[in-house]
Amino acid sequence: MAEISFRDVTKIYGDGTEAVTSLSLDIADGEFVVLVGPSGCGKSTLLRMLAGLEAITSGEIIVDGSVVNQMHPRDRDVAMVFQNYALYPHMTVFANIAFPLRQARMNTAEIRRRVTEVAGTLELTEHLKRRPASLSGGQRQRVAIGRAIVRQPKVFLLDEPLSNLDAKLRVQMRGELAQLHTTLGVTTVFVTHDQTEAMTLGQRVAVLNDGELRQVGTPGELYHRPADLFVAGFIGSPSMNLLKAELRPGGDSGRLALDSGPAGVMAIPEAAAALCAGAPVETALVAGIRPESLLLRDPATASGDLPRARVRFTELVEPETYVHLVGDFSGVDPGDPDAPPRDTLVARVRSDRVFASGDEVALEIGGTGLHLFDIDSGRTLR
């Protein structure tokens, strides 16, 4: 096992494309860290630089106390699992798993012992004489993982390893990877663009965008305390509603006025008051409301000050329903705050609540799912 440190790492390609920008990140010995972000954000480039498959432009990568910038990939003692598995089709499962050990000229008895042990751990024992073409996607993925861990490396790297699997198998393999890490305790870096994978697997999650590290923390920290608009909009499904608004005095905890005309003021619940402490009053900002904290009220009985919206359509995702709304308010694109304003929101409600397209609802805030962001920098207002 090993600690990993990225120190101001930058990667610029020959055409001038800057894939990673002055990124610093520490990964503890035995930790499972997930790198997540949209396509092209630099996460796979970062992993390939750690593996030695890409040269870095500047900065340092340190593994187990040693700078590995100039070290050959085979000397870094890291093992990598690729998105396409990269299995040898003409070899049996046994031979595929044993390949790195044969390359290291390990003796036959030790090779058999290690392969047998890994095959048992991954439930591949009965498939050792088969070839990859006769295996399911999940079984091929296990073979690729087995070939990596049989070397007993210091660091285990996985580059979008579940993206080629169907939804049910992805869920199963997530559980198996988590259990495998618990068993082996090897420092693991996992790359994905799927935030569900990131939030369910990572002990810590590093969110990247445009080659920059936007935030690193536990899944709970990212969800409940996003550092900026990008993290707030990227983490969570459905994503956070982001609206132009301003704080106003009134009530016990203040009120939130949406940029939606005269009828658009919601009381801030006491549970969310601490999040608003110190935020500027009557100054333009961005309000983030998690879908589960956007409450839908009957407009016939709700306060006339509450903003109104109409149901656009609903999605039944048992035991919940996602209610998509449209109204006269100014939504913000977290990837581009200067983009034309959006007029759609999403609320998450119990599935026994029924809404039809065109229904009018009044909007209220509940719980702690309210966040405030500076409208210029996009940073969270604490």
Side-chain angles (χ1 to χ4, degrees):
M1 295 188 288
E3 296 178 348
I4 301 169
S5 292
F6 296 92
R7 292 282 181 265
D8 295 317
V9 171
T10 295
K11 173 65 179 180
I12 303 175
Y13 288 102
D15 63 359
T17 301
E18 191 163 342
V20 177
T21 305
S22 191
L23 186 145
S24 296
L25 174 66
D26 291 322
I27 299 173
D29 185 18
E31 191 175 21
F32 194 127
V33 169
V34 178
L35 308 179
V36 67
S39 297
C41 71
K43 55 189 183 297
S44 289
T45 300
L46 195 65
L47 198 74
R48 291 175 64 82
M49 288 192 291
L50 176 56
L53 304 178
E54 294 271 6
I56 73 172
T57 303
S58 63
E60 290 184 334
I61 299 178
I62 303 168
V63 178
D64 199 20
S66 300
V67 178
V68 299
N69 293 23
Q70 305 301 324
M71 194 177 291
H72 193 279
R74 68 169 172 265
D75 299 324
R76 298 190 181 200
D77 201 10
V78 303
M80 189 163 179
V81 176
F82 296 91
Q83 181 177 355
N84 62 358
Y85 314 143
L87 300 178
Y88 297 104
H90 62 288
M91 292 184 180
T92 64
V93 169
F94 184 98
N96 265 285
I97 296 176
F99 183 79
L101 304 183
R102 295 193 190 283
Q103 290 293 100
R105 299 185 178 181
M106 191 172 289
N107 70 70
T108 302
E110 180 63 10
I111 289 174
R112 182 166 296 280
R113 184 191 71 78
R114 287 204 192 182
V115 172
T116 301
E117 181 179 310
V118 167
T121 299
L122 297 173
E123 299 182 1
L124 289 170
T125 302
E126 62 185 76
H127 306 297
L128 287 175
K129 295 182 179 180
R130 298 171 64 183
R131 286 180 167 76
S134 67
L135 302 176
S136 69
Q139 289 166 340
R140 288 196 294 271
Q141 185 59 276
R142 288 194 191 96
V143 176
I145 292 170
R147 186 177 58 191
I149 66 176
V150 75
R151 292 173 46 195
Q152 299 177 357
K154 291 180 180 177
V155 179
F156 192 25
L157 310 178
L158 301 102
D159 190 7
E160 306 238 25
L162 310 183
S163 60
N164 292 331
L165 306 179
D166 62 46
K168 182 177 180 180
L169 197 50
R170 280 202 302 273
V171 173
Q172 178 184 334
M173 286 302 300
R174 285 205 303 264
E176 292 181 5
L177 283 173
Q179 182 58 49
L180 188 63
H181 179 260
T182 299
T183 301
L184 301 177
V186 177
T187 307
T188 300
V189 185
F190 183 105
V191 161
T192 181
H193 65 275
D194 185 333
Q195 57 110 356
T196 301
E197 282 182 11
M199 299 292 275
T200 54
L201 276 173
Q203 293 174 324
R204 284 193 305 149
V205 178
V207 183
L208 282 74
N209 189 45
D210 292 334
E212 297 182 350
L213 179 62
R214 306 299 288 263
Q215 186 176 0
V216 59
T218 66
E221 288 169 345
L222 296 182
Y223 190 83
H224 296 292
R225 294 187 293 280
D228 59 26
L229 280 173
F230 177 79
V231 176
F234 188 81
I235 297 296
S237 181
S239 60
M240 184 185 289
N241 300 295
L242 299 170
L243 302 158
K244 292 182 180 178
E246 64 178 43
L247 284 178
R248 293 180 183 172
D252 295 331
S253 306
R255 300 187 300 166
L256 186 72
L258 300 185
D259 184 8
S260 62
V265 181
M266 296 184 283
I268 295 172
E270 186 177 349
L275 293 171
C276 304
V281 176
E282 296 184 348
T283 299
L285 47 77
V286 176
I289 306 173
R290 288 288 180 195
E292 62 271 21
S293 293
L294 186 62
L295 309 182
L296 307 185
R297 303 303 191 197
D298 182 349
T301 57
S303 166
D305 288 339
L306 292 179
R308 264 52 174 175
R310 289 195 178 275
V311 176
R312 189 178 180 194
F313 65 93
T314 62
E315 293 179 284
L316 179 62
V317 187
E318 287 288 6
E320 297 169 324
T321 295
Y322 301 159
V323 184
H324 295 257
L325 306 158
V326 62
D328 181 22
F329 30 71
S330 299
V332 175
D333 183 339
D336 182 9
D338 295 324
R342 298 178 172 184
D343 61 355
T344 56
L345 301 174
V346 182
R348 184 159 60 189
V349 302
R350 298 191 317 269
S351 61
D352 59 356
R353 295 188 66 187
V354 178
F355 295 90
S357 179
D359 284 353
E360 186 181 48
V361 295
L363 306 178
E364 192 174 350
I365 303 171
T368 59
L370 172 66
H371 303 267
L372 302 178
F373 305 89
D374 182 87
I375 199 166
D376 296 318
S377 69
R379 300 295 296 178
T380 298
L381 295 173
R382 299 297 187 189

